[in-house]
Amino acid sequence: MKNTSKIIAVANQKGGVGKTTTSINFAAALAKRKKRVLLIDSDPQGNASSGIGVNMKKIKAHLYHAYSGSYAAHDVLFSSNVKNLDVIPSNIDLVAAELEMISLTNREGKLKHLLESFNENYDYIIIDCPPSLGLLTVNALTAAHSVLIPMQCEYFSMEGLAQLVNTIRSVKKAYNRSLYIEGLVLTMFDKRNRLTHQVANEINIHFKDQLFKTVIPRNVRLSESPSHGQTIFDYDIQSSGAVAYMNLAKEFLNKQG
């Protein structure tokens, strides 16, 4: 029997928690560890696309066109500058997909259906979800095997997490019985900040078994790399951010056995 891809949705409806940074660099770290990876930019802001170096001006078809049926999923697939890492990019047009899907039957399963043609081509498919709990996120959660949740250590994150967990439960019940939480990863971790440690302890109490030991530090190089269209490994492989994302990939792969 051929291997099928493991699909992971990177989700958090709270913006500014390092979700896209995590999608890009986690995908790149897996690719660096010789896994075949597909990164799907399912956020209309298109930050994962530009952050990995896709020039959207030169591309005529992207995820929206696959959703609308005007292009096959394979025709919106592009190679990135990172070996073993492909990407399906997006831009603001993707907002229209959400509106157009509202009247469709099986609208929650559209992305799952699109990804079936890639099932044996990749080890991992990483979906960067939008910072909302709308139809694009529900599609990602319906298609995914698991959810990776990046979390910033601040109190509002805890409130947002409860909402996200409820959404995951609802999707699991209605559309995807096997969906589970892959884990929570603490991002923008500032070890000098007392509040950071308090919130980290709180998260650890409630989600002990699901919390990755690797934390992603607050790191200037990580914030700079997307504006150069590069992963942290191409931008500054010596940085604490690069080391952290490589460790996250290693911890994740060890969990996979």
Side-chain angles (χ1 to χ4, degrees):
M1 185 180 136
K2 289 182 179 174
N3 285 340
T4 54
S5 317
K6 177 166 186 176
I7 303 171
I8 302 164
V10 181
N12 192 327
Q13 80 281 15
K14 192 175 181 310
V17 298
K19 176 185 59 61
T20 298
T21 301
T22 296
S23 298
I24 291 171
N25 293 305
F26 178 57
L30 290 172
K32 291 240 170 245
R33 299 187 78 89
K34 297 189 167 54
K35 301 297 176 190
R36 296 162 307 155
V37 186
L38 171 60
L39 174 64
I40 297 175
D41 188 352
S42 188
D43 183 346
Q45 294 174 81
N47 292 338
S49 306
S50 58
I52 207 155
V54 176
N55 183 348
M56 291 307 286
K57 291 191 179 84
K58 291 185 176 173
I59 281 174
K60 61 178 183 188
H62 42 80
L63 184 58
Y64 164 73
H65 298 98
Y67 264 119
S68 68
S70 50
Y71 280 79
H74 276 278
D75 296 330
V76 297
L77 182 74
F78 299 89
S79 300
S80 77
N81 299 325
V82 179
K83 192 182 174 190
N84 299 323
L85 177 57
D86 292 338
V87 60
I88 292 181
S90 280
N91 70 5
I92 196 68
D93 293 351
L94 192 58
V95 169
E98 201 147 30
L99 298 172
E100 288 163 15
M101 279 193 286
I102 287 170
S103 58
L104 298 179
T105 51
N106 189 28
R107 55 181 178 257
E108 300 82 8
K110 200 104 168 86
L111 184 61
K112 182 178 183 172
H113 177 66
L114 289 176
L115 295 185
E116 279 165 3
S117 59
F118 296 126
N119 228 343
E120 288 156 9
N121 302 12
Y122 297 97
D123 298 306
Y124 296 102
I125 296 176
I126 309 294
I127 308 171
D128 183 35
C129 297
S132 68
L133 296 176
L135 204 44
L136 289 169
T137 297
V138 170
N139 261 271
L141 295 177
T142 303
H145 297 104
S146 66
V147 192
L148 180 65
I149 306 172
M151 273 196 72
Q152 200 179 347
C153 289
E154 51 171 57
Y155 273 112
F156 291 125
S157 301
M158 295 294 286
E159 291 173 18
L161 182 61
Q163 278 178 296
L164 180 60
V165 169
N166 283 338
T167 302
I168 292 168
R169 281 198 190 117
S170 304
V171 171
K172 184 181 169 88
K173 196 173 173 183
Y175 311 113
N176 185 358
R177 303 296 296 176
S178 55
L179 184 67
Y180 65 95
I181 294 174
E182 188 69 54
L184 283 77
V185 58
L186 301 180
T187 58
M188 303 181 196
F189 195 91
D190 183 355
K191 58 176 188 281
R192 298 162 304 182
N193 184 327
R194 227 175 79 209
L195 179 64
T196 295
H197 290 281
Q198 285 171 353
V199 176
N201 288 338
E202 190 79 10
I203 294 167
N204 196 24
I205 289 164
H206 294 289
F207 292 92
K208 191 176 170 57
D209 299 334
Q210 291 166 311
L211 188 62
F212 279 97
K213 290 184 176 66
T214 305
V215 298
I216 310 301
R218 195 174 278 285
N219 176 236
V220 176
R221 306 301 274 169
L222 266 180
S223 326
E224 290 171 351
S225 61
S227 63
H228 296 266
Q230 291 183 318
T231 72
I232 191 60
F233 306 106
D234 294 319
Y235 186 64
D236 186 354
I237 200 163
Q238 304 294 324
S239 66
S240 59
V243 172
Y245 276 111
M246 197 50 95
N247 286 340
L248 180 65
K250 188 177 174 186
E251 186 181 348
F252 165 79
L253 291 171
N254 286 342
K255 270 176 72 178
Q256 307 306 299

